[in-house]
Amino acid sequence: MAAPTRSPSASPPSAPSVPPERAGRWIDDWRPEDPEFWETSGKRVARRNLFFSVFSEHVGFSIWSLWSVLVLFLPEPVFGIDPAGKFLLTALPTALGAFVRLPYTFAVARFGGRNWTIVSAALLLVPAAATAIVLEPGVDYGTLLVVACLAGVGGGNFASSMANINAFYPDRLKGWALGLNAGGGNLGVPVVQLVGLLVLATAGADHPRLILWIYLPLIVVAAVGAALLMDNLTMVRNQPRALREATREPHTWFMAFLYIGTFGSFIGFGFAFGQVLQNQFADSFATPLAAASLTWLGPLLGSLIRPFGGSLADRFGGALITCLTFVAMAAGAAVVWTASQVASLPLFVVGFVVLFVLSGIGNGSTYKMIPAIFRSQALQQVAEGRDPGEADRRALRMSGALIGIAGAVGAFGGVLVNLAFRQSFMTTGTGDSAYVAFIGFYVVCVAVTWFVYLRPGRALGRV
């Protein structure tokens, strides 16, 4: 993910050409940092791959967050599941999605970006079909837990998609490209919630299977589209010991921690918001339709603004934007806590929507920090006499590994959000304890970002 450290004079680029392909749509010659190559052929190929990567990731996010909608179709008198049980149904797919992100990231290097997109898209058929089969009154709660857990495979698509698209774009465009790729994928959360709202408004709460019948053909389109129109890049293959090396890099864990605060908040709130509204303001959201009418708004705005967060980071630096975002998120969580204390629904919704928007900006800025960190390290290594090519390869290898680790650890933040809400409502009947915990966590994130990446005298350059 880092920019090459070679200067034009040190390693003149070869003549631009259309990237040659071999059987299986493998591209052997890929030089995005070469301006001539990029303009003549690279940009077109990268955009085509970005489009289908976004589509596949979008469908994956929808399946991953499917149970944030389905719990609204499970009235307690019919299914016998209390609010704590519903929070567990949304926490399990979040957990599995976090777990599979790591192997999904390295699957791109092992099998190729196109090839793994086909496989990861096809795997979405498993939770979609299983849910369509078992979801009916009288189903055992344990069966629902297993099927909900299967939906977690949709969470892995994000990691493999980001690792793949990262290799297609030059460093100067990575913030925009990764933000667009992630934002388009994140839109799967509000879109599936809007689909659920449409089903509730037209067919009613007795027909949750309609959501699955809508998504099953979309999954097929994602897999077939990837097979026909995406490419594999030879340059991202065979990165031995990348994971082991990345785990010894302190910045891996700093960034993973910060990503808990940004993406963990986004996905956790996205899964829990509908249930929080129904439990916190039961009188205003007595029906599933009433809750579904608002749950999509925050995830939609948070997804749409993620590319903007990447662009801001491209311009002002990811660390600065991330730090300011956490300051604002602490204030936003304080607004939500205040609204809960005074039982103000409008203030509560506004505070939560602001948190969604800020988490979207933070998602874009934190991911921009990853290539910048290893680019800075590569430049330092070249200045110390290290071979530029070796420094570039390490930067690409380490940033790719960090994508997987940060994505996996960050997604576990969504589990923590749902568990925090579950515990808070079980013990106090409100989400107040969870809101206080969120405020404290964001304050810690501000301190970590400033101390590691912004304070005077830090080792790294601008990130």
Side-chain angles (χ1 to χ4, degrees), residues 19 38 58 76 92 246 303 393:
W38 178 254
H58 175 94
E76 187 172 348
L92 283 180
S303 302
R393 287 189 293 272

Side-chain angles (χ1 to χ4, degrees), residues 137-156:
V139 63
D140 179 69
Y141 180 62
T143 301
L144 288 182
L145 289 176
V146 172
V147 173
C149 193
L150 291 177
V153 298

Side-chain angles (χ1 to χ4, degrees), residues 115-449:
N115 295 347
W116 187 251
T117 302
I118 298 170
V119 173
S120 61
L123 283 174
L124 299 175
L125 291 170
V126 176
T131 304
I133 292 170
V134 307
L135 193 59
E136 60 183 1
V139 63
D140 179 69
Y141 180 62
T143 301
L144 288 182
L145 289 176
V146 172
V147 173
C149 193
L150 291 177
V153 298
N157 289 29
F158 171 85
S160 56
S161 177
M162 293 292 277
N164 184 41
I165 292 305
N166 160 65
F168 274 96
Y169 277 83
D171 185 73
R172 70 183 186 279
L173 297 176
K174 284 187 190 292
W176 172 84
L178 293 175
L180 185 63
N181 187 58
N186 291 172
L187 278 172
V189 179
V191 168
V192 74
Q193 292 172 346
L194 285 171
V195 170
L197 175 61
L198 177 64
V199 171
L200 283 169
T202 56
D206 296 329
H207 300 280
R209 282 190 176 94
L210 289 176
I211 301 174
L212 284 310
W213 300 132
I214 291 171
Y215 273 95
L216 283 169
L218 293 178
I219 294 171
V220 174
V221 170
V224 173
L228 296 178
L229 294 165
M230 289 187 71
D231 303 289
N232 302 302
L233 294 179
T234 305
M235 60 176 285
V236 300
R237 299 196 67 183
N238 301 322
Q239 299 179 11
R241 300 183 299 278
L243 178 59
R244 184 186 307 173
E245 188 177 357
T247 58
R248 294 196 295 262
E249 169 61 60
H251 292 289
T252 296
W253 304 111
F254 290 133
M255 292 308 304
F257 180 79
L258 297 180
Y259 203 55
I260 289 175
T262 56
F263 182 76
S265 295
F266 173 84
I267 200 66
F269 294 154
F271 279 39
F273 189 36
Q275 296 181 77
V276 171
L277 288 175
Q278 282 193 306
N279 287 282
Q280 191 92 34
F281 297 92
D283 293 341
S284 300
F285 298 97
T287 66
L289 181 60
S293 65
L294 276 180
T295 54
W296 57 273
L297 180 60
L300 175 66
L301 295 176
S303 302
L304 291 175
I305 206 167
R306 179 163 183 160
F308 180 66
S311 296
L312 284 176
D314 283 338
R315 183 173 181 183
F316 300 107
L320 177 61
I321 300 303
T322 298
C323 188
L324 294 176
T325 297
F326 280 128
V327 171
M329 289 182 74
V335 170
V336 171
W337 179 82
T338 301
S340 177
Q341 296 295 301
V342 301
S344 171
L345 176 60
L347 186 62
F348 187 84
V349 172
V350 168
F352 247 111
V353 169
V354 167
L355 282 175
F356 274 112
V357 170
L358 292 170
S359 68
I361 293 174
N363 286 338
S365 63
T366 50
Y367 255 80
K368 173 59 180 178
M369 290 173 67
I370 294 173
I373 288 168
F374 293 110
R375 175 180 180 272
S376 180
Q377 288 184 349
L379 290 172
Q380 291 176 2
Q381 291 165 358
V382 171
E384 294 167 359
R386 187 168 177 174
D387 175 66
E390 182 183 349
D392 287 345
R393 287 189 293 272
R394 179 186 181 276
L396 182 62
R397 182 175 69 251
M398 292 290 288
S399 55
L402 181 47
I403 281 182
I405 295 173
V409 176
F412 271 114
V415 181
L416 298 177
V417 167
N418 278 270
L419 292 180
F421 277 127
R422 182 175 184 269
Q423 187 63 36
S424 184
F425 279 106
M426 284 178 61
T427 56
T428 68
T430 71
D432 292 352
S433 299
Y435 309 139
V436 172
F438 300 152
I439 294 170
F441 182 77
Y442 297 145
V443 170
V444 173
C445 288
V446 171
V448 170
T449 308

